[in-house]
């Protein structure tokens, strides 16, 4: 009788441990999936960042080339400080006499 009771307790404990192992394996699988998603997201952001840096560099090159061109042809031009510039609403439509 004691033997049966001890074995039953061991079997119950073994069953509980097996369920815990299965739950831990499921959690590990879920965490691996989350890690893959985060790595994919980080890679996507890195690619987007590189692309935007490249576009910015191209825009800066174009701006410098345009300024060199304008200086070489001695055309008058005005630089506008965008931070001080105010937006002004101008009505360019025909005047109505109504």
């Amino acid at each position: 009788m004691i033997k049966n009771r001890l074995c039953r307790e061991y079997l119950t404990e073994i069953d509980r441990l097996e369920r815990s192992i299965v739950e831990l394996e499921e959690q590990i699988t879920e965490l691996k999936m989350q890690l893959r998603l985060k790595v994919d997201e980080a890679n996507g952001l890195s690619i987007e960042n590189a692309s935007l840096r490249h576009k910015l560099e191209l825009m800066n090159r174009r701006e410098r080339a345009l300024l060199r061109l304008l200086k070489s042809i001695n055309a008058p031009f005005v630089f506008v400080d965008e931070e001080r510039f105010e937006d002004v609403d101008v009505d360019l439509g025909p005047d109505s006499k109504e």
Side-chain angles (χ1 to χ4, degrees):
M1 181 164 164
I2 294 178
K3 185 177 180 182
N4 287 340
R5 186 170 187 197
L6 285 176
C7 287
R8 187 177 62 216
E9 287 177 11
Y10 289 137
L11 291 174
T12 303
E13 183 66 18
I14 289 171
D15 186 48
R16 186 187 69 77
L17 291 172
E18 286 176 343
R19 284 192 309 254
S20 294
I21 289 171
V22 169
E23 288 176 9
L24 289 172
E25 288 173 342
E26 289 173 355
Q27 288 178 354
I28 289 171
T29 301
E30 183 178 331
L31 289 171
K32 284 181 180 179
M33 288 174 42
Q34 289 177 3
L35 178 62
R36 280 190 207 111
L37 289 174
K38 291 296 181 184
V39 167
D40 289 345
E41 181 182 358
N43 287 338
L45 290 172
S46 175
I47 291 169
E48 182 180 2
N49 188 22
S51 174
L52 291 173
R53 285 180 187 270
H54 178 70
K55 287 180 182 179
L56 181 62
E57 179 61 30
L58 289 177
M59 288 174 58
N60 287 335
R61 287 182 192 171
R62 286 184 193 132
E63 180 183 21
R64 288 191 300 269
L66 181 59
L67 288 174
R68 281 193 304 271
L69 174 67
L70 291 174
K71 286 179 182 179
S72 70
I73 61 174
N74 291 326
F77 56 96
V78 177
F79 287 102
V80 176
D81 184 0
E82 294 177 12
E83 293 178 4
R84 292 185 179 177
F85 188 74
E86 290 185 24
D87 288 332
V88 178
D89 292 330
V90 178
D91 182 14
L92 299 177
D95 290 335
S96 90
K97 302 286 181 179
E98 295 177 26

